[in-house]
Amino acid sequence: MFWADQLADKVIERAEKEGRVPNIKCQETPSGGKHIGNLNDVMRAYFVYKSIILREKECEFVHMTDDRDPLKGIPLRLVDLNGVWHNTSEFPDLKKWLGKPLFLVPDPFGCCSSWAEHFTNVWKKGLDGIGVYPMFFSVNKLYKEGKFEPYIKMVFEKRKLVGEIISKWQRTKSKEYIPFDAICPKCKTLSNVDDFDLDKKMVHITCRGKPIKGRKTAGCGFEGWVPWSEGKLQWRFEWPALWGIFNTTYEPFGKDHAEGSWPSGKEIMKRIYEKEPPIPFVYEFFLVDGRKMSASVGNVFIPQDMVKIMEPEAFNYFYTKRPEKQRDFELAHIFRLVDEFDEAERIYFGKSKAEISSPLREENTKRMYEMTMNKIPKEYPNRISYAFAATLMQLMDEDKAIKRLKGLGHVDDKNEALARDRLKRAHYWVTHYAAPEFKIEIISKEEAVREFKELTPNEKNVLTEFASVLDMPEEEQIKKIQEITKTSGVKLKRFFQICYALLLGRDKGPRLVPFIGSLDKNFVKARLRGET
């Protein structure tokens, strides 16, 4: 059974036992442009939510925005509402806002009421673009509405037990530490409290700043009492408080929380708030082109970046894969992911002849496809090959590419719109992200002649034989390549190296048969024979 369906079974069982509608929660801090790694939280929640909804059962799908958190650092790049990235050097005065709550930090672009609202709107637009629509809640507004008040009260009332728990999970904290911060009324910096008054619902602070990511923010020295509605529980206590506020049934999170915040959160939920924690799901992080994404490094990509290079449904497909396994999101070879999605689509519509190891795997593949699609087509869409589209768009404009595809029988009136869409996205990919071997520049006749002269007679004969089958369908050409290389003694790897050398002047390139199909066949035949 698909992993999200397994979790949905558990969520439904738990909610029915408790006699309520299941609540599925995810959460992000609008500290900047939230990247596609952060999207794990949302997608691991969304697929379980969708599994429940497809069963025609009620389910809540909520998204918390941690807009009362402090600004902890300045990213190298900031993104505007149109999804365009800007260097932070364009905004020189941002550091003075470090340590202040995100809802009080001005929007650097001046289009929204705050930093928090701006980057929440960027995130919402990204989710809209891939067809995911949770109900958004501002943590800041929840504090203002008094939703946290019962939990703040419990933390203060059970002061001794709180100290015992926090010193257990955070060795740097003493049993007297109070896990609550308040906004300084003078400088607006978040500072830790040192006392509280339950009757007056007040906390006492001395504004000395607060350590954030190894640095300490400057405090103003203010000393006095502040309403606790102008403060916030610290993360280990705030997270389980949100479970209580929303009666959360299920929440996914990354392995960093699994090793720290989750075990302490469970204990806090049971012993302080006296409620059951939600069903957890721990997912593995992924890399992008072999590297971890980091706002401080600047190699961050948001959903808006991804839908420029592939269809939203193909992008969503990546998140249906086994989430417990670390994966590499290879931007430089994104056609591989799109190929996987296309194959899943063929399997769903019964068009694929690919070998499936078991009926269970086939059923899972179909379910993964269903989960990625906001609306399943009534008939097979028949998409063009992504790699072929990327090749064509380097050799001709879109209209000529469509004409070539129609001539090859890949496009008709039914799928022309889909083909044009893929051509545009593949062109953007090959322009901005493709590995060097996908860049196409046909070498001159003189260069090709020099390459041809270096070949052995046997290699030249193999090329001549291959040239004679270029009018066959692609599947037949692939079979013929295998036959020719096997009988001639020229190794398959060497055969490809020769072909790329004659056409591109290097030993690697796009997949050979589709690439050749995008070129003029008479030209290719002549070049393989050493004539041009």
Side-chain angles (χ1 to χ4, degrees):
M1 186 184 287
F2 180 55
W3 62 265
D5 291 328
Q6 295 179 47
L7 285 162
D9 285 346
K10 294 179 181 179
V11 170
I12 292 168
E13 182 182 359
R14 164 88 174 261
E16 288 178 348
K17 184 179 178 181
E18 295 174 352
R20 59 184 177 84
V21 172
N23 175 275
I24 290 175
K25 185 174 87 67
C26 54
Q27 191 162 341
E28 295 297 342
T29 304
S31 51
K34 305 309 292 183
H35 58 65
I36 59 176
N38 302 128
L39 191 60
N40 271 304
D41 272 0
V42 179
M43 299 306 284
R44 307 309 178 197
Y46 170 66
F47 289 137
V48 177
Y49 163 76
K50 187 170 182 178
S51 176
I52 294 171
I53 293 299
L54 288 174
R55 305 177 199 201
E56 299 184 352
K57 290 182 178 289
E58 286 186 89
C59 186
E60 297 170 349
F61 177 30
V62 298
H63 183 296
M64 300 300 108
T65 299
D66 294 329
D67 47 359
R68 196 170 271 210
D69 277 15
L71 181 64
K72 296 178 180 178
I74 309 300
L76 283 183
R77 298 189 302 156
L78 297 175
V79 62
D80 63 29
L81 286 182
N82 294 319
V84 178
W85 289 95
H86 301 257
N87 290 327
T88 308
S89 58
E90 298 177 32
F91 313 96
D93 299 324
L94 295 178
K95 287 186 178 179
K96 68 181 181 181
W97 296 99
L98 289 170
K100 295 173 173 55
L102 294 167
F103 78 94
L104 291 177
V105 179
D107 174 11
F109 295 93
C111 55
C112 299
S113 65
S114 68
W115 177 292
E117 185 183 46
H118 177 91
F119 290 107
T120 297
N121 286 337
V122 171
W123 188 236
K124 281 182 179 177
K125 282 190 171 189
L127 297 185
D128 288 351
I130 60 173
V132 178
Y133 307 99
M135 295 169 57
F136 272 78
F137 288 88
S138 157
V139 169
N140 177 53
K141 287 183 180 178
L142 293 174
Y143 275 107
K144 288 182 177 179
E145 292 166 0
K147 302 293 186 184
F148 279 96
E149 191 164 304
Y151 300 91
I152 296 170
K153 188 178 179 184
M154 280 186 270
V155 167
F156 292 156
E157 284 177 337
K158 300 179 182 182
R159 177 73 190 81
K160 186 176 180 180
L161 181 56
V162 164
E164 176 189 321
I165 293 172
I166 201 166
S167 62
K168 171 184 172 182
W169 291 104
Q170 290 180 281
R171 301 265 175 98
T172 59
K173 312 297 185 189
S174 71
K175 291 185 178 181
E176 287 70 43
Y177 186 80
I178 304 171
F180 193 86
D181 296 327
I183 303 168
C184 174
K186 185 177 179 182
C187 71
K188 304 303 180 184
T189 300
L190 277 164
S191 293
N192 183 234
V193 307
D194 49 37
D195 200 359
F196 57 87
D197 187 320
L198 276 170
D199 295 328
K200 294 181 180 180
K201 298 181 181 179
M202 303 283 282
V203 291
H204 186 273
I205 65 167
T206 301
C207 184
R208 298 190 182 96
K210 189 174 174 64
I212 295 176
K213 288 189 174 181
R215 298 174 300 191
K216 189 172 182 181
T217 57
C220 67
F222 169 85
E223 185 177 354
W225 290 88
V226 179
W228 72 31
S229 59
E230 293 299 306
K232 71 183 297 295
L233 291 163
Q234 290 181 5
W235 166 249
R236 286 177 187 266
F237 290 80
E238 185 179 79
W239 192 25
L242 285 165
W243 298 337
I245 291 169
F246 285 89
N247 288 316
T248 300
T249 318
Y250 160 79
E251 180 166 4
F253 47 84
K255 66 176 184 179
D256 54 340
H257 290 319
E259 296 163 359
S261 306
W262 167 247
S264 65
K266 284 192 298 181
E267 185 172 357
I268 291 163
M269 191 67 169
K270 291 178 178 180
R271 299 181 69 190
I272 305 298
Y273 302 147
E274 298 179 2
K275 292 186 176 184
E276 282 299 309
I279 297 167
F281 183 68
V282 182
Y283 59 79
E284 181 60 80
F285 296 112
F286 63 81
L287 306 174
V288 173
D289 286 338
R291 295 193 303 161
K292 184 179 178 181
M293 278 181 292
S294 169
S296 59
V297 174
N299 65 331
V300 167
F301 302 95
I302 58 176
Q304 289 93 318
D305 294 321
M306 296 299 96
V307 296
K308 289 177 183 176
I309 63 174
M310 68 185 118
E311 298 90 342
E313 53 267 32
F315 173 56
N316 291 351
Y317 187 78
F318 180 80
Y319 294 88
T320 65
K321 296 181 178 185
R322 286 178 55 193
E324 307 97 327
K325 181 180 178 182
Q326 186 176 72
R327 299 183 184 278
D328 190 1
F329 190 87
E330 296 183 277
L331 272 173
H333 299 93
I334 206 66
F335 66 88
R336 293 173 181 164
L337 172 60
V338 182
D339 283 351
E340 281 188 56
F341 167 77
D342 288 351
E343 177 67 3
E345 192 164 59
R346 286 191 290 270
I347 290 169
Y348 183 86
F349 285 95
K351 300 290 184 180
S352 178
K353 295 179 182 178
E355 291 184 11
I356 300 293
S357 58
S358 70
L360 179 60
R361 184 180 170 192
E362 181 176 356
E363 195 60 35
N364 263 300
T365 301
K366 290 180 178 180
R367 188 61 166 166
M368 290 162 70
Y369 175 76
E370 287 176 338
M371 285 290 175
T372 67
M373 303 297 292
N374 288 310
K375 186 178 180 182
I376 296 174
K378 292 181 179 178
E379 57 183 41
Y380 176 59
N382 192 23
R383 302 177 197 259
I384 61 171
S385 159
Y386 188 93
F388 191 30
T391 301
L392 284 174
M393 291 303 287
Q394 293 182 78
L395 300 169
M396 59 193 75
D397 62 28
E398 185 182 312
D399 287 336
K400 287 181 179 177
I402 289 292
K403 186 177 179 181
R404 175 65 61 86
L405 288 164
K406 285 183 175 179
L408 294 169
H410 296 316
V411 170
D412 55 27
D413 291 342
K414 285 184 178 181
N415 70 339
E416 181 175 337
L418 269 178
R420 286 186 179 276
D421 183 63
R422 180 156 285 188
L423 286 167
K424 287 183 176 72
R425 297 180 203 261
H427 184 231
Y428 192 91
W429 168 74
V430 82
T431 304
H432 293 84
Y433 300 112
E437 61 262 28
F438 282 90
K439 303 293 184 179
I440 293 173
E441 186 175 347
I442 305 298
I443 62 174
S444 67
K445 177 182 177 180
E446 290 74 22
E447 291 173 293
V449 167
R450 284 197 296 270
E451 292 283 354
F452 193 82
K453 286 180 178 178
E454 296 296 320
L455 302 180
T456 67
N458 190 30
E459 289 172 339
K460 291 176 182 178
N461 289 337
V462 167
L463 291 177
T464 301
E465 192 172 351
F466 177 52
S468 68
V469 301
L470 289 184
D471 293 318
M472 291 182 177
E474 288 185 1
E475 296 81 3
E476 294 300 318
Q477 290 182 45
I478 293 169
K479 288 180 182 178
K480 198 66 178 175
I481 289 172
Q482 293 170 339
E483 290 175 12
I484 293 169
T485 54
K486 188 175 182 179
T487 56
S488 67
V490 174
K491 292 184 178 180
L492 190 62
K493 182 179 179 180
R494 174 60 181 160
F495 169 80
F496 285 122
Q497 288 175 337
I498 294 167
C499 291
Y500 290 129
L502 290 174
L503 294 167
L504 301 174
R506 57 177 193 255
D507 60 4
K508 290 183 180 178
R511 282 183 291 186
L512 184 65
V513 173
F515 169 46
I516 286 175
S518 68
L519 304 173
D520 181 84
K521 284 187 179 177
N522 290 328
F523 161 76
V524 177
K525 289 176 184 178
R527 179 148 291 192
L528 292 175
R529 292 168 181 150
E531 298 169 2
T532 182

